[in-house]
Amino acid sequence: METELSKKLGVEHAIFGFTPFPAVAAAITRAGGFGVLGAVRYTAPDDLARDLDWMQEHTDGKPYGLDVVMPAKKVEGVTEADVEAMIPAGHRQFVQDTLAKHGVPELPEGETSGWRITGWMEEVARNQLDVAFDYPIRLLANALGSPPADVVRRAHDRGVLVAALAGSAKHARHHADAGIDIVVAQGYEAGGHTGEIASMVLVPDVVDAVGPLPVLAAGGIGSGEQIAAGLALGAQGVWLGSLWLTTEEADLHSRVLTRKLLAAGSGDTVRSRALTGKPARQLRTEWTDAWDDPAGPGPLPMPLQGLLVAEAVSRIQKYETGALLGTPVGQIVGRMNSERSVRAVFDDLTRGFERAVDRINRIAGRSAS
């Protein structure tokens, strides 16, 4: 699965694996792909440095990258406390009523939320970059589109390629104009924040819009056959995220959540604003149902919703409240029905890719005869 882009980055397979878990990212790189560590949860620079040190020791000198969440524009002079003050009392009460309905205990005294939306703020992302650029990362990806121009220049000065996610050809052209090196065409089927266009339509649209810039296909990809389809549509690789959640190296801290993922079908996800305020595909739960119910107050816009539900999400996770417990995940969850090592996943992907190529070659051969 070599392409021009994978050769440029020095990887065997054009499989880019996004994950919040260092052990998974390192295993992806060792297996011949390109591991991309998600940085959004690292609000403390020392924690990111610790895990990048670990990545250095466990990637066998092979390349890897970092994914940050950085808006192209920021609002000056607005603090987290200012944003918190904008949250209506009625929404806070709705959160408490929903948790009480399901018997979710309070956090122990003195324990704070382990998940905060602060990882989405530009100053946090810039602190992450101050750390990351001290390491030999080969790729910087941004989940909120094109990063600020000075960040792109800073990456390029260090020989780091910059990638940005796009949900439409219009977004992709904006990235190209901003000097981005790689566009990740993320379809509607993907986990997390997605647009309205499905991958089969989106990928060739983006390829046509930004060529010759390399494009990665993302969303609804979890088999070698689907990788072959993405490359056939003009992509130079694939960007996989959800598939790694049920690998042995992943650290979800919840057997309940792992069992829910393994049991879920492709129809068991929903594109909801319940987590962050922007539409994000995730497991459908009674938590997402409550927020999407017209009788409720409805989600707040980003970043208010993320701040509002931060403690609630931590409580649900800590006490593994099954009815409410979910995670961002794509429709490919229907294929994630066993716990396997990252290496085993790669072996399955490469075999499936070979089957697809052989099948197309046979069809082409018959057509030519």
Side-chain angles (χ1 to χ4, degrees), residues 42-51 124 127-128 130-131:
Y42 293 100
T43 55
D46 288 347
D47 291 341
L48 177 59
R50 177 201 63 215
D51 282 356
V124 175
N127 288 337
Q128 293 165 349
D130 288 341
V131 172

Side-chain angles (χ1 to χ4, degrees), residues 34-259:
F34 191 98
V36 181
L37 179 65
V40 70
R41 66 191 180 95
Y42 293 100
T43 55
D46 288 347
D47 291 341
L48 177 59
R50 177 201 63 215
D51 282 356
L52 288 176
D53 283 339
W54 188 93
M55 290 276 293
Q56 278 293 105
E57 296 172 2
H58 292 85
T59 47
D60 298 339
K62 297 178 179 180
Y64 62 90
L66 192 75
D67 179 276
V68 297
V69 179
M70 176 176 280
K73 299 177 181 178
K74 68 176 179 178
V75 179
E76 298 285 355
V78 178
T79 67
E80 184 179 343
D82 294 331
V83 178
E84 285 266 16
M86 298 177 177
I87 298 174
H91 279 73
R92 294 189 186 277
Q93 188 60 52
F94 180 76
V95 169
Q96 294 307 317
D97 291 346
T98 303
L99 296 176
K101 176 182 175 182
H102 292 274
V104 184
E106 298 278 352
L107 292 175
E109 186 175 354
E111 183 173 327
T112 59
S113 168
W115 180 86
R116 295 293 285 173
I117 203 69
T118 49
W120 296 71
M121 295 183 173
E122 180 177 339
E123 58 267 30
V124 175
R126 286 187 178 276
N127 288 337
Q128 293 165 349
L129 294 179
D130 288 341
V131 172
F133 284 141
D134 285 336
Y135 293 82
I137 62 171
R138 294 293 308 281
L139 176 71
L140 173 67
N142 189 38
L144 283 185
S146 304
D150 69 294
V151 172
V152 176
R153 289 193 299 269
R154 189 178 176 191
H156 286 167
D157 287 346
R158 289 163 172 76
V160 177
L161 297 181
V162 181
L165 275 65
S168 71
K170 178 181 178 181
H171 293 157
R173 283 191 289 267
H174 175 76
H175 296 338
D177 292 341
I180 300 304
D181 304 292
I182 302 167
V183 176
V184 181
Q186 180 175 278
Y188 173 82
E189 310 95 321
H193 296 109
T194 67
E196 301 279 355
I197 305 172
S199 299
M200 186 63 73
V201 174
L202 178 66
V203 173
D205 278 357
V206 171
V207 169
D208 289 345
V210 302
L213 277 185
V215 173
L216 301 179
I221 300 174
S223 72
E225 289 84 354
Q226 290 165 318
I227 293 174
L231 298 185
L233 293 173
Q236 287 200 32
V238 294
W239 177 275
L240 309 182
S242 298
L243 191 63
W244 316 109
L245 288 174
T246 53
T247 57
E248 293 170 355
E249 292 88 346
D251 188 12
L252 289 177
H253 298 293
S254 173
R255 293 305 303 170
V256 174
L257 181 55
T258 297
R259 287 194 295 269

